[in-house]
């Protein structure tokens, strides 16, 4: 096959990847789950003003930029599930030309096409383009940050340095793991400043530091969150678990197809970073592309630093934090594809796209929370005066959003309406909660209700058996319930039981 034919097939494969990827980025099929419902609620607070948003975030634990932008978006297009999620979808579309722009800084046209194909079909990028969370905003900012560093290094003008500072600040206001990225980049630039590029490196380091200074006004809120919120929903994992969760996220979740995607991607990354071209083809050795070694090193160092801090401070790690290494992974995979001889790049990319498509289709067709099924039963089998109790409170935001004020909702242990989860001193508050007292109040607040519905699940961190204990306390006061749904943890990430109690007599 000639070079012209190979290029034609490559363009076709990438076009299929992009077309399919664009469609899939707007095809979430499941109802919103916990984190997404909280995002939508925080955007509502942002539409009310800065002070309500800051007050809400003190109880949540995140920085504000994503919710401010989501508030602007929803004020224009609406706040239904599809409209809220479409913001991430649009960011997913933006990531593709940005991937092209980043790759073209380092690779020829074929290499850049391969990078776009990998990003377009990435199960990670597609999944988080369908969720109302900040990870696609992070991806866009990380791509912009890469471009900003390269441009500022080429010519450190005031405008380019200001752009780097602005993007640094935007990252810090989007996700706190950006602190680890900023530390790695800043220290790397200081290390480089020991050589002949001292002046240039110091100017870039100064721009990163200036972006950090923009974060200073938020520090009081950050320190308050650090002291009182944290990640009480999960303990810190071992390093091997960190690696496994990240690979699982890159592959698109659970399942054999996701595992194969992760394996193929890992092999391509190793080929990209661990081989170099020679007159006889590819040979073992660090890639001759210095830019790739730097990008991969920064991505890896950021992940290691973040995971190390998580382990030292006993805070949670989730595979989605792998977004901080996704750009180097995509670039290294593209270089790895370029290392393959003949039609290898087209064949392997086509296989990766097909595997990714199957993995994504399985993930997007799966409902992530059983609360949706429970809410359907509540709406179909009761009256407008019924009371719906969620235990623990982490099941409540999704249910409250789905019910949309059509029922009275109570969230254990605070017995508030459950619009969001209050993470402040979470473990201590849950340890002090009393299911007996809560059952008394629920009974009192259900006077006149035809039924009291309990959507519940044991096994949540810091709750122990509180929810089954609450159920038993309600049995004593309301009588034996009807079990409407059994929790199915094999199908749902957020499984839940549903019990229907008669209303207080």
């Amino acid at each position: 096959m000639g070079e012209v034919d190979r290029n034609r097939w490559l363009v076709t494969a990438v076009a299929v990847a992009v077309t399919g990827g664009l469609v899939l980025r707007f095809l979430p099929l499941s109802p919103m789950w916990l984190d997404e419902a909280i995002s939508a609620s925080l955007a509502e607070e942002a539409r009310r003003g800065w002070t309500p948003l800051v007050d809400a975030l003190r109880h949540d634990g995140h920085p504000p930029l994503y919710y401010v932008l989501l508030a602007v978006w929803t004020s224009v297009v609406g706040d239904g599930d599809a409209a809220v999620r479409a913001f991430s979808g649009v960011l997913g579309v933006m990531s593709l030309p940005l991937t092209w722009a980043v790759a073209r800084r380092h690779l020829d046209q074929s290499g850049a096409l391969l990078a776009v194909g990998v990003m377009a079909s990435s199960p990670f990028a597609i999944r988080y383009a369908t969720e109302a969370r900040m990870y696609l905003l992070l991806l866009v900012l990380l791509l912009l940050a890469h471009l900003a560093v390269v441009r500022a290094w080429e010519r450190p003008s005031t405008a380019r340095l200001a752009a780097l500072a602005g993007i640094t600040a935007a990252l810090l206001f989007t996700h706190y793991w950006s602190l680890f990225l900023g530390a790695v980049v800043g220290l790397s630039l200081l290390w480089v400043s020991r050589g002949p590029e001292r002046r240039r490196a110091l100017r870039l380091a100064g721009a990163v530091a200036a972006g950090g200074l923009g974060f200073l006004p938020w520090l009081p809120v950050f320190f308050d969150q650090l002291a009182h919120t944290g990640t009480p929903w999960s303990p810190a994992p071992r390093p091997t678990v960190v690696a496994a969760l990240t690979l699982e996220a890159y592959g698109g979740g659970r399942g054999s197809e996701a595992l194969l995607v992760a394996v193929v991607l890992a092999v391509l990354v190793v080929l990209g970073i661990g081989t170099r071209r020679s007159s006889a083809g590819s040979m073992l050795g660090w890639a001759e592309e210095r830019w790739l070694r730097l990008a991969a090193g920064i991505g890896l160092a950021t992940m290691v630093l973040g995971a190390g801090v998580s382990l030292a401070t006993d805070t949670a790690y989730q595979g989605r934090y792998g977004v901080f290494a996704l750009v180097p992974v995509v670039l290294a995979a593209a270089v790895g594809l370029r290392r393959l001889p003949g039609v290898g790049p087209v064949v392997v990319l086509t296989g990766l796209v097909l595997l990714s498509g199957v993995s994504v289709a399985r993930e997007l067709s799966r409902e992530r929370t059983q609360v949706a099924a429970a809410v359907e039963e509540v709406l179909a089998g009761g009256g407008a005066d019924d009371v719906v109790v969620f235990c623990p409170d982490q099941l409540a935001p999704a249910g409250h959003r789905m019910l949309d004020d059509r029922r009275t909702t109570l969230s254990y242990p605070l017995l508030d309406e459950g619009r969001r989860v209050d993470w402040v001193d979470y473990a201590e508050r849950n340890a002090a909660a009393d299911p007996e007292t809560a059952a008394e109040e629920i009974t009192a607040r259900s006077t006149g209700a035809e039924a009291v519905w309990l959507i519940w699940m044991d096994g949540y961190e810091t709750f122990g058996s509180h929810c089954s204990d609450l159920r038993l306390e309600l049995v004593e006061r309301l009588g034996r319930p009807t079990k409407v749904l059994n929790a199915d943890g094999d199908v749902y990430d957020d499984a839940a039981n549903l019990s229907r109690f008669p209303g207080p007599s």
Side-chain angles (χ1 to χ4, degrees), residues 19-36:
T19 302
L22 290 178
V23 172
L24 290 171
R25 281 164 168 80
F26 292 93
L27 281 183
L29 303 178
S30 61
M32 281 189 174
W33 64 292
L34 170 65
D35 288 2
E36 293 185 282

Side-chain angles (χ1 to χ4, degrees), residues 18 58-59 79 108 110 133 299 314 318 336 375 382 415 429 453:
V18 169
R58 286 183 183 274
H59 294 262
D79 58 1
D108 61 13
S110 296
R133 292 193 285 178
D314 194 27
Q318 295 292 309
V375 166
L415 299 187
R429 184 176 68 240
W453 302 81

Side-chain angles (χ1 to χ4, degrees), residues 64-320:
L65 180 58
Y66 171 73
Y67 307 106
V68 171
L69 296 178
L70 184 61
V72 174
W73 172 266
T74 53
S75 67
V76 175
V77 304
D79 58 1
D81 286 4
V84 174
R85 283 171 163 164
F87 179 53
S88 294
V90 170
L91 291 169
V93 173
M94 291 172 57
S95 71
L96 299 183
L98 285 173
T99 300
W100 169 269
V102 167
R104 282 298 281 146
R105 283 282 172 175
H106 310 292
L107 300 170
D108 61 13
Q109 184 171 328
S110 296
L113 280 172
L114 290 167
V116 171
V118 174
M119 182 67 84
S121 61
S122 165
F124 184 104
I126 292 173
R127 169 172 178 168
Y128 292 105
T130 67
E131 289 198 358
R133 292 193 285 178
M134 74 286 293
Y135 295 98
L136 257 293
L137 176 59
L138 271 174
L139 178 57
V140 166
L141 290 173
L142 289 165
L143 288 162
L144 289 172
H146 188 112
L147 283 173
V149 169
V150 172
R151 284 169 52 81
W153 185 263
E154 290 174 348
R155 183 165 61 86
S157 65
T158 301
R160 293 185 177 191
L161 293 170
L164 176 57
I167 294 168
T168 300
L171 281 165
L172 292 171
F173 277 103
T174 301
H175 198 286
Y176 291 137
W177 263 54
S178 300
L179 292 165
F180 306 135
L181 175 63
V184 169
V185 171
L187 290 173
S188 299
L189 288 167
L190 292 177
W191 177 265
V192 172
S193 71
R194 300 167 62 188
E197 299 290 351
R198 173 182 174 81
R199 180 174 175 81
R200 190 190 305 261
L202 286 176
R203 295 188 72 180
L204 265 71
V208 172
L213 290 175
F215 187 69
L216 289 178
W218 186 254
L219 282 180
V221 179
F222 171 66
F223 287 132
D224 190 38
Q225 293 171 330
L226 197 63
H228 296 287
T229 56
T231 58
W233 34 269
S234 177
R238 303 185 308 276
T240 51
V241 176
V242 168
L245 289 173
T246 305
L247 288 173
E248 182 181 90
Y250 286 161
R254 305 184 186 95
S256 56
E257 294 85 5
L259 176 61
L260 288 173
V261 171
V263 169
V264 172
L265 199 58
V267 170
L268 290 175
V269 169
V270 170
L271 280 176
I273 298 174
T275 63
R276 57 173 61 227
R277 289 194 180 278
S278 69
S279 57
S282 298
M283 58 180 292
L284 292 176
W286 290 115
E288 65 268 26
E289 293 89 353
R290 182 170 180 265
W291 63 268
L292 180 59
R293 298 198 305 271
L294 288 171
I298 288 171
L300 178 61
T302 300
M303 297 301 297
V304 170
L305 177 59
V309 171
S310 295
L311 186 61
T313 58
D314 194 27
T315 52
Y317 175 85
Q318 295 292 309
R320 54 187 177 262

